[in-house]
Amino acid sequence: GWSFPGRSCEKQFGLKMGRNIVLATAGYDRSVRLWDCNAESTYRTLHFPESQVNDLCFSSDNELLIVGGFPRAAVFNVSSSTPNPTYVFDDHRGNVTEVGCDPDGKWMYSCSDDRTVKLWNTKSPQALATFKHSSPVNCIAIHPNGNYLYAGDQDGFVKVWDITASKLAKEVQPQSVESVEAIAVSHDGNIIVGSNFAGASYFWSLEKDPIAFDPICRNQTHHRHVLKVAFDYLDEPKFAAALTDGTVKILKVDIGKIETESDMPTVGILDNHTRWVWGVAFTSDSEHLFSASSDMTAVLVHIESGKVLTTFEGHQKAITCLAIAEVQS
């Protein structure tokens, strides 16, 4: 099982969750580093020598770490002492751009610039299903009910894949020909956002139905493309966008109060990196945020104060992704 080489997050930073947080980071140095949130040095390194790492995701039980690279994905058992993957998934023919796992941890999903979305059994290397797009697929998210995948592609479409029926359920194109670069679904399943190459973020409501896509608002989040997006865990969630200017922009998303872009207030802009920010993740208390950057660092920040609690240094090249696991202490 998990072991932690130091004080708990609660003692170190006042993260009053009764949990320890494990941070995983990876990028162009072809290594995956695992950190305890209260340590400033790596306590474990996993090997991914084939390529750079494009994305990371922990399974819902935090026992598996899914890694996406070029042209394959891999699954590591984080409770095992081996630094090598348990399974390698070779069906993609291009960059695996994002990966994820269903809420029950029984299967995983991936998208690729080979124009496909694939479902996999986490316990064998065979693809369960393949969904085809007409252009490279940049990003993907799952509905909390585990029945729908939302994939954004370079043609500017968000396509909704019905996993049970194994078919396309809906597609929307919020802005013609602008590639959808990042996508996220709120933890209650009520909001979806797609951010594009022009820096615009489109918010839709899924309250009526997971394929409803009732428009909420368009937000000009940045003047260049948005690299990654995430929601926190509140009923009226905050939204974080990782940007090319080294900042993370945080907005408040209250469905009942938003009619225009001006109704979406900026909570803060975190300016803790010197190069592009590729990864963001909220802690479950919604008070703290991890971010990772091409400047070879990741940081843990207290959102309200903007204070950097820990800086994680050790990668030799750009960090392009992160994932966090919160484990009961």
Side-chain angles (χ1 to χ4, degrees):
W2 291 97
S3 62
F4 297 89
R7 293 178 292 170
S8 72
C9 296
E10 183 171 350
K11 292 178 181 178
Q12 182 80 347
F13 301 131
L15 297 171
K16 297 177 181 179
M17 298 179 291
R19 294 167 180 250
N20 283 297
I21 302 176
V22 174
L23 169 68
T25 58
Y28 278 95
D29 63 5
R30 303 189 178 192
S31 68
V32 180
R33 292 173 179 255
L34 298 179
W35 321 70
D36 192 345
C37 79
N38 62 343
E40 295 186 5
S41 61
T42 308
Y43 76 88
R44 189 172 175 198
T45 301
L46 305 175
H47 299 316
F48 196 79
E50 295 92 339
S51 74
Q52 83 282 355
V53 177
N54 300 318
D55 198 29
L56 297 169
C57 180
F58 282 101
S59 61
S60 55
D61 62 5
N62 297 322
E63 289 298 318
L64 303 177
L65 181 64
I66 304 162
V67 179
F70 176 77
R72 54 184 58 88
V75 170
F76 292 84
N77 187 329
V78 293
S79 297
S80 170
S81 60
T82 177
N84 300 312
T86 305
Y87 298 107
V88 175
F89 303 92
D90 284 321
D91 269 17
H92 281 298
R93 296 295 178 262
N95 255 320
V96 177
T97 47
E98 286 197 353
V99 294
C101 195
D102 84 299
D104 295 325
K106 296 178 180 178
W107 48 268
M108 55 173 273
Y109 54 87
S110 58
C111 63
S112 170
D113 59 16
D114 67 4
R115 306 184 178 194
T116 67
V117 169
K118 291 182 181 289
L119 303 183
W120 313 82
N121 187 323
T122 55
K123 297 182 179 180
S124 68
Q126 282 77 41
L128 300 174
T130 298
F131 304 125
K132 295 182 179 180
H133 286 237
S134 58
S135 67
V137 188
N138 299 320
C139 51
I140 194 165
I142 192 169
H143 192 276
N145 68 15
N147 294 328
Y148 296 93
L149 288 171
Y150 306 90
D153 65 30
Q154 289 189 18
D155 282 341
F157 285 97
V158 176
K159 297 196 176 190
V160 185
W161 296 102
D162 184 325
I163 297 165
T164 303
S166 194
K167 68 177 185 179
L168 182 67
K170 188 167 187 171
E171 61 181 19
V172 296
Q173 189 182 34
Q175 188 173 350
S176 179
V177 307
E178 287 292 351
S179 173
V180 179
E181 299 290 306
I183 200 165
V185 178
S186 61
H187 293 276
D188 60 8
N190 288 336
I191 306 171
I192 184 170
V193 61
S195 298
N196 67 21
F197 196 80
S201 297
Y202 289 83
F203 294 83
W204 297 274
S205 172
L206 305 177
E207 280 190 294
K208 295 178 182 177
D209 189 275
I211 63 171
F213 277 77
D214 295 322
I216 299 174
C217 184
R218 176 192 182 277
N219 177 272
Q220 190 62 44
T221 309
H222 194 45
H223 65 276
R224 297 179 65 184
H225 52 293
V226 177
L227 299 172
K228 197 80 169 183
V229 291
F231 286 103
D232 73 3
Y233 293 80
L234 299 175
D235 291 338
E236 298 175 0
K238 294 190 291 292
F239 158 80
L243 305 177
T244 58
D245 62 359
T247 67
V248 177
K249 189 174 186 178
I250 302 177
L251 303 171
K252 184 69 176 293
V253 186
D254 183 348
I255 296 179
K257 297 179 180 179
I258 295 173
E259 294 182 1
T260 66
E261 181 170 359
S262 61
D263 296 327
M264 190 175 292
T266 300
V267 175
I269 297 177
L270 304 177
D271 187 10
N272 300 309
H273 294 286
T274 58
R275 300 183 68 184
W276 290 16
V277 181
W278 288 98
V280 286
F282 287 95
T283 56
S284 64
D285 65 357
S286 300
E287 295 179 3
H288 303 82
L289 184 98
F290 287 90
S291 59
S293 169
S294 294
D295 66 10
M296 301 184 290
T297 70
V299 298
L300 170 62
V301 180
H302 180 255
I303 296 169
E304 185 176 359
S305 68
K307 180 181 178 181
V308 175
L309 302 178
T310 304
T311 300
F312 303 90
E313 298 178 293
H315 281 282
Q316 301 304 305
K317 294 184 179 180
I319 304 176
T320 54
C321 52
L322 63 78
I324 60 173
E326 297 187 12
V327 184
Q328 198 69 34
S329 58

